[in-house]
Amino acid sequence: MSDAAQPTLGVVFRPQSPPEALREIVEAVDASPAAELWLWEDCFLEGGVSTAAAALAWSSRVRVGIGLLPVPLRNAALAAMELATLERLAPGRVIAGLGHGVLDWMGQVGARVESPLTLLREYATAVRALLAGETVDAAGRYVALDRVALDWPPAAPPELVLGATRPKTLALAGELGDGVLLTGDTDVEALRAARAIVDEARAAAGRAGRARVIVYTALDPGRSDLRDAVLRRTDELAAAGADAVAFHGTASSPDPRPFLDVLS
C-alpha cells in the first residue's frame, strides 16, 4: 500500500450464503485484522437486524454494519428500537445503514412510495432523534409519531449512515448522516464526486467533522492476483476520498474469507 492514510478495511457477508454459514464467517472476521463486517438485507434473503444481532453475539471486537435497512419496510420507531437494542448490547460496534432499498423489491411487497427521498429524510431525522433519547413528534408525509421516546436509548447513538448513489441522496447523507455508503460498482470518479457532494452538504448544514465515506468493492475471490488487486483497489479508493472499504465476492462466490487471508 502507499504511504497515504489508509481507509478502514472490512468484508461483506453476502446473503447468497445461507444463514447457517454466518457464525463461521463472523468468527473468522473477528480473528482477522479486518475492522468491519457488513451485512446486507437484500430481498428476499436474510434479515439485517437478526443477522447483526447474531454477528455481534458471536464476535468480541469487530464492528458490524447493516448495509442497509430499506426504510419502506419498517416503521421508524421500530427501526430505532432495534438499533438501540443492538447498540446497548454491543456499545460502539454497530453501524446502522438506512436507504431507499431496491424500488422494484419495495413494489413487490407493497411498500414502494411516491417520493423515496422525502421518506428517507423524514425517517432518518426521526430515527436519529429517537436514538439520541429525544421525544419525537412528527407529522410528515410518511413518518407520523406522537410523543414517541425510547425507554432504552443507547448511551451514545450508533453510527448512522445513508446508502446513496444519486446527488440528492448523497447530499441528504451529508446533511443528516454520519456518513454515506456507496455501492460496489462505484468507480474512482464517482467516488470523488460523491465525496464532494457529501462534504458540501455537511458544511452547508453546519455540521462539524468529516462524514465517513464507506465504499463496497467487488472482486472475484478466486482470482490469482487477489492480494495485488486488493492493495491496488484500496490505494485507488483511498486517494479518491474513501474512509472505509468493504470487500465482497460475487453472488456465485460470496465467501469473504479469501479477502481475510489477503488482509492478514
Side-chain angles (χ1 to χ4, degrees):
M1 293 187 187
S2 71
D3 293 333
Q6 291 299 307
T8 300
L9 298 181
V11 296
V12 176
F13 176 85
R14 290 188 61 136
Q16 284 77 20
S17 294
E20 57 269 25
L22 178 60
R23 182 166 190 164
E24 187 175 353
I25 300 298
V26 170
E27 291 173 346
V29 175
D30 204 45
S32 80
E36 296 176 354
L37 170 65
W38 284 87
L39 306 167
W40 292 357
E41 188 170 78
D42 279 0
C43 295
F44 299 95
L45 294 163
E46 293 156 3
V49 174
S50 54
T51 51
L56 291 164
W58 291 330
S59 59
S60 61
R61 57 118 207 136
V62 71
R63 299 185 75 209
V64 175
I66 309 173
L68 45 75
L69 297 176
V71 299
L73 287 179
R74 285 180 184 81
N75 181 277
L78 176 59
M81 290 163 58
E82 300 276 26
L83 295 172
T85 300
L86 292 177
E87 178 63 25
R88 288 183 69 106
L89 291 172
R93 292 205 293 130
V94 177
I95 310 168
L98 304 177
H100 300 307
V102 176
L103 298 186
D104 285 346
W105 289 340
M106 298 303 99
Q108 280 184 269
V109 298
R112 185 166 181 167
V113 299
E114 185 177 344
S115 178
L117 190 67
T118 300
L119 170 58
L120 186 57
R121 172 180 289 280
E122 293 178 359
Y123 198 103
T125 299
V127 168
R128 174 175 286 283
L130 289 167
L131 291 172
E134 299 176 16
T135 298
V136 178
D137 287 290
R141 182 174 178 181
Y142 299 109
V143 176
L145 300 174
D146 180 12
R147 297 165 296 165
V148 175
L150 299 179
D151 285 293
W152 295 105
E159 181 180 355
L160 186 68
V161 302
L162 303 187
T165 55
R166 296 182 178 180
K168 289 182 179 180
T169 312
L170 288 165
L172 188 66
E175 178 187 347
L176 296 179
D178 298 314
V180 65
L181 183 60
L182 304 178
T183 62
D185 58 359
T186 304
D187 61 25
V188 168
E189 291 306 314
L191 171 56
R192 289 197 182 99
R195 170 93 260 176
I197 292 169
V198 169
D199 287 348
E200 182 179 357
R202 189 174 183 86
R207 301 188 63 201
R210 174 181 168 99
R212 201 161 75 106
V213 174
I214 305 150
V215 188
Y216 289 147
T217 188
L219 292 171
D220 180 354
R223 59 189 293 172
S224 60
D225 65 338
L226 184 62
R227 180 177 297 274
D228 289 341
V230 165
L231 296 178
R232 184 169 56 252
R233 185 71 60 86
T234 301
D235 282 345
E236 291 172 349
L237 296 174
D243 299 297
V245 178
F247 288 95
H248 64 83
T250 62
S252 59
S253 298
D255 192 331
R257 281 173 290 189
F259 298 109
L260 299 180
D261 294 339
V262 169
L263 298 177
S264 299

